[in-house]
Amino acid sequence: MQKKIVIAFAAACVLMSSCASKKALEGCQNENKELTRNYQDAKEQLAASKARVTSLEEQLAQQKQSYEALQQALDKSLTASNQTTVNISKLVDQINESNQYIRHLVEVKSKSDSLNMVLTNNLTRSLSREELSEVDVQVLKGVVYISLADNMLYQSGSYEINSRAAETLSKIAKIIMDYKDYDVLVEGNTDNVPISRTNIRNNWDLSCLRASSVVQYLQTNYGVDPKRLTAGGRGEYNPLTDNNTEAGKQRNRRTQIIITPKLDQFMDLIDAAPDSEK
């Protein structure tokens, strides 16, 4: 009986031990499954994190490229802006120089116009009423034109100065002598009637010879510096009106004494012009 009790107790112990091992195994299995799930989740999170890092790195690289491109564009813009500023500054300087030059020209022109008006007034006041009917004095574009009829200057059909011209030419010579900074061009003009003289080929010759006679008369009789004098002829090709009437022909037969500022004064003005390539 006692032996049966021992065997029963041993069987119970084995049975209890077997039940405990089975529960422990199940617990381990469950824990292993939990750890496997956690590991898988962690692995997936790590992969997602790596992908996120890669994406952020790519975005960072793109932004870096964009920044560098923007910086280059900004540098170019600043360079262009600085160059534009320099160009604008140069342009402003050129405009200021041009304005100064224009003001200088205006002053010169104003002074020239004033002198021309004084010259004209002095001459017209010195001429008699009879002379004024045959002498026309005008100022056009800063130049003084004194137009004299041919019948008061020359013998008929000739280029020789007549006695009537002496007094009028003496008054013109005085004006020329008073204004030494002016040059004098004497210009002969004729009508379209052909000339028939053995020593005069055509109206070109006649107009030039008449202008030359006046120039030499001013030099010889009144001491006008010949360096200031120029003689020229325009023949019949610079008419004031048509030659269809006797009155028209008479108007076209004239000698003009043109008083102008010296050429070197104009050259000085040109030299004073601002350099446009600065």
Side-chain angles (χ1 to χ4, degrees):
M1 181 67 181
Q2 187 175 6
K3 185 175 179 180
K4 290 181 179 179
I5 292 171
V6 171
I7 293 171
F9 177 76
C13 289
V14 170
L15 180 62
M16 290 178 64
S17 175
S18 175
C19 290
S21 297
K22 185 177 181 180
K23 288 181 179 179
L25 178 61
E26 288 177 353
C28 289
Q29 289 176 343
N30 290 334
E31 185 178 356
N32 182 59
K33 289 179 181 179
E34 182 68 22
L35 289 173
T36 301
R37 283 196 300 270
N38 291 340
Y39 172 75
Q40 189 64 33
D41 290 343
K43 187 176 179 181
E44 291 175 356
Q45 290 178 5
L46 178 60
S49 297
K50 286 183 177 180
R52 180 63 177 165
V53 169
T54 301
S55 177
L56 290 174
E57 287 177 346
E58 291 175 353
Q59 292 180 21
L60 181 62
Q62 290 177 353
Q63 294 209 353
K64 185 177 179 182
Q65 290 178 353
S66 298
Y67 171 78
E68 291 175 351
L70 182 62
Q71 185 65 44
Q72 291 176 357
L74 180 60
D75 291 342
K76 289 181 180 179
S77 178
L78 289 174
T79 302
S81 177
N82 292 335
Q83 185 62 43
T84 300
T85 301
V86 172
N87 291 338
I88 291 175
S89 177
K90 288 183 178 180
L91 181 60
V92 170
D93 291 341
Q94 290 176 0
I95 291 173
N96 290 335
E97 289 178 356
S98 297
N99 288 338
Q100 291 177 358
Y101 179 59
I102 290 171
R103 285 194 293 270
H104 177 60
L105 287 180
V106 170
E107 291 173 0
V108 170
K109 184 180 184 303
S110 178
K111 181 180 178 181
S112 176
D113 289 345
S114 298
L115 288 173
N116 289 341
M117 291 306 299
V118 172
L119 184 156
T120 302
N121 291 335
N122 289 343
L123 178 58
T124 52
R125 280 199 300 266
S126 69
L127 296 174
S128 66
R129 182 175 300 179
E130 181 182 358
E131 287 173 324
L132 285 173
S133 65
E134 297 181 302
V135 178
D136 180 44
V137 183
Q138 295 183 16
V139 177
L140 299 174
K141 297 181 180 180
V143 178
V144 179
Y145 292 84
I146 306 169
S147 185
L148 302 98
D150 71 322
N151 58 358
M152 75 165 295
L153 282 177
Y154 314 106
Q155 299 174 14
S156 178
S158 171
Y159 55 85
E160 298 294 342
I161 302 295
N162 65 30
S163 58
R164 287 185 57 211
E167 185 175 355
T168 303
L169 288 177
S170 69
K171 296 173 182 178
I172 294 173
K174 183 180 185 307
I175 294 294
I176 294 172
M177 296 291 285
D178 288 343
Y179 291 84
K180 298 185 181 300
D181 290 332
Y182 285 70
D183 282 335
V184 180
L185 167 64
V186 180
E187 181 183 272
N189 295 269
T190 70
D191 57 24
N192 64 347
V193 177
I195 187 74
S196 58
R197 296 291 174 88
T198 55
N199 60 337
I200 302 175
R201 291 171 297 182
N202 49 41
N203 284 328
W204 277 116
D205 278 358
L206 180 60
S207 63
C208 291
L209 288 168
R210 284 182 167 179
S212 179
S213 293
V214 173
V215 164
Q216 294 181 63
Y217 199 89
L218 292 172
Q219 175 188 356
T220 303
N221 293 277
Y222 305 112
V224 177
D225 185 354
K227 294 179 181 178
R228 299 174 56 196
L229 299 171
T230 301
R234 303 191 67 175
E236 62 197 71
Y237 302 104
N238 184 37
L240 293 176
T241 184
D242 60 61
N243 290 288
N244 295 331
T245 65
E246 187 56 40
K249 292 176 182 177
Q250 185 174 351
R251 284 196 65 195
N252 292 333
R253 295 193 301 267
R254 70 199 186 282
T255 296
Q256 286 186 308
I257 298 177
I258 304 170
I259 303 176
T260 65
K262 288 182 177 295
L263 181 60
D264 57 0
Q265 293 179 345
F266 287 113
M267 297 305 296
D268 289 342
L269 288 178
I270 294 174
D271 291 340
D275 187 354
S276 60
E277 297 184 0
K278 285 183 179 180

